[in-house]
Amino acid sequence: MPQTLFVKVLFQSLICFTLSVFTCAFAQKTPIDYVETRIGTAPSTTESARAHSEAGSELKGQTIPAVGRPHGMTQWTPQTRSTETKCIAPYYYNDTKFQGFRGTHWLNGSCVQDYGTFTVMPMTGELLVNPEMRGSTFFHKQEKSTPDYYAVQLDDEKVLAEITSSSRSAMMRFTFQSDNESFVVVEPNSDEGQGFVEIFPDKGEIVGFNPVHRIYQGSGQPAGFSGYFVLKFDKKPIQYGVWHGDTLKPAGRSMAGSGKREKIGAYLGFGDARQVITVRVGTSFTSIEGARRNLEAELSGQSFEGIQKATKRVWNDELNKVKVQGGAKDKVLFYSALYRTKLSPRLFSDVDGSYPSFAGGTPLQKTDGFDYYCDFSMWDTFRAAMPLQTLLEPKQAGDMMQSLVKKAEQGGWMPIFPIWNHYTAAMVGDHVMSVMADAYAKGVKNFDVTSGYSFLRKNAFEINKDVKSYEAGKGRRALASYLKYGYVPLEDSVWQAFHKREQVSRTLEYAYDDFCLSVLADGLGHKEDAENLRKRALNYRNVIDPATGYGRGRFANGDWVAQFNPFAKRVDFITEGSPAQYTWFVPHDINGLKNLMGGNKAFIAKLDTLFEQGHYWHGNEPNHQIAYLYAYAGQPWKTQKWVRKIISEEYDAGVGGLSGNEDGGQMSAWLAFSMMGFYPVAPGTPNYVIGTPVFEKVVLDLHGKKFEVIAKNVSLSAPYIQSATLNGKPFARTWLSHEELTNGGKLVLQMGDKPHAQWGAAPTDTPPSLTR
């Protein structure tokens, strides 16, 4: 590379580094320029997180600054932690050493594990292969991070490292700025020491794979497939080699791990010239050849700038489905949240439609007119992230539903929490019923709902008596006792699950799931099933203690657990929270819950206690619908008050701006919906409860029809709805139907700084509920 051109490239890059993210964002007009990908990569700064979090990971958003396409197969992130261990994300903002670019399958914002990954690191001078030793100091002021591009200046190595990406592939560019020997290191991140690499020096190519292992049910067992990769360098190496543990093997061509947890990898050396090395990378879950096909299909003949430009356009096309008018910081919050909802589920099929069979890997399957997706963080995302997908991208949502159907057909049971293409019983509930019913109720029909229903019904009605497959995650947990008693009694410890006991939470969630399945049964003409399931949807009554009005542990003989504090932060019959928080998880029948509590007055008093005394915990998902429940009791102004307060206090544009784990996009989906002004309290029903919009104007582009939310005089101090019109007519309902949104229209809200107690207060204005 001519010296003058090199200096010019470097100078332009460094100028970009010195610009702050906000300066870059606000100078542009497209949505992607408002996205801050590093929100949630540092410990939370909110009071709610400090007050309620227990495990160290609960204080973190657990996000990564992911480069890639929406729902891409592989995302690309700077790596600051080398392990694939559970609950350790590849990147944390407070770390100071860059270990390379990781091709990651991290479930965004989670506390699970990465899998099938590999890392690529540029180096100069002494060749160090251990990721902790080779890490190079970097500074965030020299870091640029967007959904389509990441770059960082590595001070120790004197290297400018850049990356952009497509769906299954990426291109890296390393500008070596010193006269030291230049290397590129490639490492499969197999904690078990089972990876493989092979070098083809004449072709300037490195290939390899990293076997995937299960956690939760079947912990440590092979998942039946690997993460495969192919790297093509634009220059032939001057030297090359492999390593095993701490031992370098110059001129070695291949290396396979022996399964003893030692690290392996490969390296290429390119001499001591100041130069630019470009690397094209393909990934796959089927084979090395699949990775090569994906690479050629997505990157062939394209420049680095061309790929970046195309990826930026794809992001803008998706983010532009919602146009907002308001303050710059609010746009950063909103579009960053919308970005984070589009990282999972992940595309799992190759360009030719091939993908590994669910729950075993073999034989390879082939899609027929749909894309196959995996990594459904179902306990979290059924609440708002999947409904947001259904609203904005119904065709893709249908592909995701068909993916779930195929998992059931290949594995024999509908999965409950399908990640790394396998069964788990990681969390409570059976929420594929929710997402499939929600998609169906909202008009998504491009999936085999008949087959899907048959497997959902199997989960709901059939007890898996095969001990081995049940332990492996097939079948609804504790179904036998749930069917026998109408609730899960305290005697059932649910030991064949990762989350054991938690009987009250299971009962509440199963009652809701049964309601969702009744929606499908009714729509498909299974009237007897529908009636039976609607009765089971009332099982929540069996764990709400009428004496206290709170969810409470119950024995098989009907006795309530004796010692009971509804505000205890953790009790063993509740999942990750308190009875006072989980009691409100009856989204399908809030009117029925009100009746159990003694009516509107008692219902509102309990809500007030939760919020005013600091018992609400936004950092964990079972709380997410609670602020919207005032609308069911004729006091929507309190929904407006608390939703706006949560937005203001639990989210921020800084790196610590999430109050808990992102959990597959749910934390951000709550924010995106709430900033628009409505929220899907009861997925499985085609309705949204109105909250309080943040923006002066929101325009949803819903497949050719536009729905507008106009909030006149809205501000942080004026979150209260004074009056409303829908399509020019007076409007007092506190909910919108999915049909009203997708048909297009205009909701105009007059906002004020004081509550308007009459708007939406009439019983006829409240949202629908199973109990009328």
Side-chain angles (χ1 to χ4, degrees), residues 173-220:
R173 186 164 62 192
F174 304 128
T175 303
F176 293 93
Q177 303 157 359
S178 76
D179 296 325
N180 293 324
E181 184 76 19
S182 300
F183 296 97
V184 176
V185 171
V186 179
E187 179 183 4
N189 300 311
S190 173
D191 286 342
E192 297 78 12
Q194 294 181 353
F196 171 80
V197 289
E198 185 171 7
I199 303 171
F200 297 93
D202 291 343
K203 296 193 294 183
E205 184 175 285
I206 296 178
V207 304
F209 60 83
N210 179 3
V212 178
H213 293 77
R214 301 176 67 188
I215 60 171
Y216 302 132
Q217 281 58 51
S219 180

Side-chain angles (χ1 to χ4, degrees), residues 482-502:
Y482 176 75
L483 292 178
K484 181 177 180 179
Y485 299 101
Y487 61 96
V488 183
L490 294 177
E491 288 90 343
D492 191 340
S493 65
V494 203
W495 65 267
Q496 307 96 334
F498 181 76
H499 277 244
K500 298 170 175 56
R501 300 181 66 81
E502 305 181 8

Side-chain angles (χ1 to χ4, degrees), residues 440-727:
Y440 183 79
K442 293 172 180 173
V444 174
K445 298 296 193 293
N446 60 311
F447 69 100
D448 189 345
V449 66
T450 301
S451 179
Y453 177 79
S454 69
F455 286 102
L456 292 172
R457 189 188 188 283
K458 183 178 180 180
N459 274 26
F461 286 92
E462 294 186 26
I463 299 166
N464 185 359
K465 297 181 179 179
D466 182 85
V467 174
K468 187 175 181 180
S469 72
Y470 181 66
E471 289 179 2
K474 297 183 180 183
R476 188 187 281 194
R477 308 291 96 173
L479 179 61
S481 59
Y482 176 75
L483 292 178
K484 181 177 180 179
Y485 299 101
Y487 61 96
V488 183
L490 294 177
E491 288 90 343
D492 191 340
S493 65
V494 203
W495 65 267
Q496 307 96 334
F498 181 76
H499 277 244
K500 298 170 175 56
R501 300 181 66 81
E502 305 181 8
Q503 298 92 339
V504 170
S505 295
R506 291 181 193 279
T507 301
L508 293 172
E509 297 201 17
Y510 288 163
Y512 163 69
D513 293 328
D514 289 342
F515 165 79
C516 291
L517 189 57
S518 78
V519 172
L520 278 177
D522 201 43
L524 296 174
H526 303 296
K527 301 302 181 184
E528 185 177 345
D529 279 358
E531 183 178 354
N532 191 351
L533 288 161
R534 276 193 293 271
K535 291 178 181 177
R536 284 169 51 173
L538 300 176
N539 280 344
Y540 70 88
R541 297 174 175 175
N542 297 328
V543 291
I544 304 294
D545 173 20
T548 65
Y550 287 108
R552 186 170 181 177
R554 196 172 193 181
F555 294 99
N557 66 3
D559 290 345
W560 300 100
V561 65
Q563 292 190 347
F564 178 64
N565 175 9
F567 305 108
K569 290 185 179 179
R570 298 291 193 279
V571 293
D572 62 9
F573 53 80
I574 295 291
T575 301
E576 297 180 2
S578 71
Q581 294 163 357
Y582 232 105
T583 293
W584 306 99
F585 190 77
V586 189
H588 59 294
D589 194 21
I590 300 302
N591 285 348
L593 180 63
K594 280 194 301 182
N595 294 340
L596 275 180
M597 290 180 172
N600 265 18
K601 187 175 180 180
F603 180 87
I604 290 170
K606 275 187 164 53
L607 282 174
D608 288 346
T609 296
L610 187 81
F611 285 102
E612 292 172 3
Q613 295 185 11
H615 299 298
Y616 178 80
W617 177 23
H618 192 70
N620 210 23
E621 284 72 20
N623 291 252
H624 278 190
Q625 82 284 358
I626 301 177
Y628 286 89
L629 301 187
Y630 284 106
Y632 290 80
Q635 289 194 355
W637 67 268
K638 287 186 179 177
T639 286
Q640 296 152 26
K641 169 186 173 180
W642 289 110
V643 166
R644 192 57 187 254
K645 186 175 177 65
I646 293 167
I647 292 173
S648 300
E649 295 182 358
E650 302 294 334
Y651 295 91
D652 188 72
V655 291
L658 291 178
S659 63
N661 291 175
E662 170 67 16
D663 282 327
Q666 172 56 29
M667 192 68 65
S668 292
W670 186 96
L671 180 63
F673 266 122
S674 295
M675 293 184 82
M676 288 190 291
F678 51 92
Y679 186 79
V681 166
T685 68
N687 306 311
Y688 306 86
V689 178
I690 294 173
T692 177
V694 167
F695 297 105
E696 302 157 18
K697 184 176 183 179
V698 177
V699 181
L700 292 94
D701 186 349
L702 302 175
H703 339 298
K705 300 288 183 69
K706 296 187 185 302
F707 188 88
E708 298 181 31
V709 180
I710 310 295
K712 294 184 176 180
N713 300 320
V714 70
S715 69
L716 182 61
S717 60
Y720 298 108
I721 297 173
Q722 308 297 302
S723 62
T725 62
L726 179 63
N727 300 328

Side-chain angles (χ1 to χ4, degrees), residues 117 144 289 414 565 698 727 740:
T117 75
K144 182 176 182 182
E289 284 307 311
M414 184 63 75
N565 175 9
V698 177
N727 300 328
E740 285 171 329

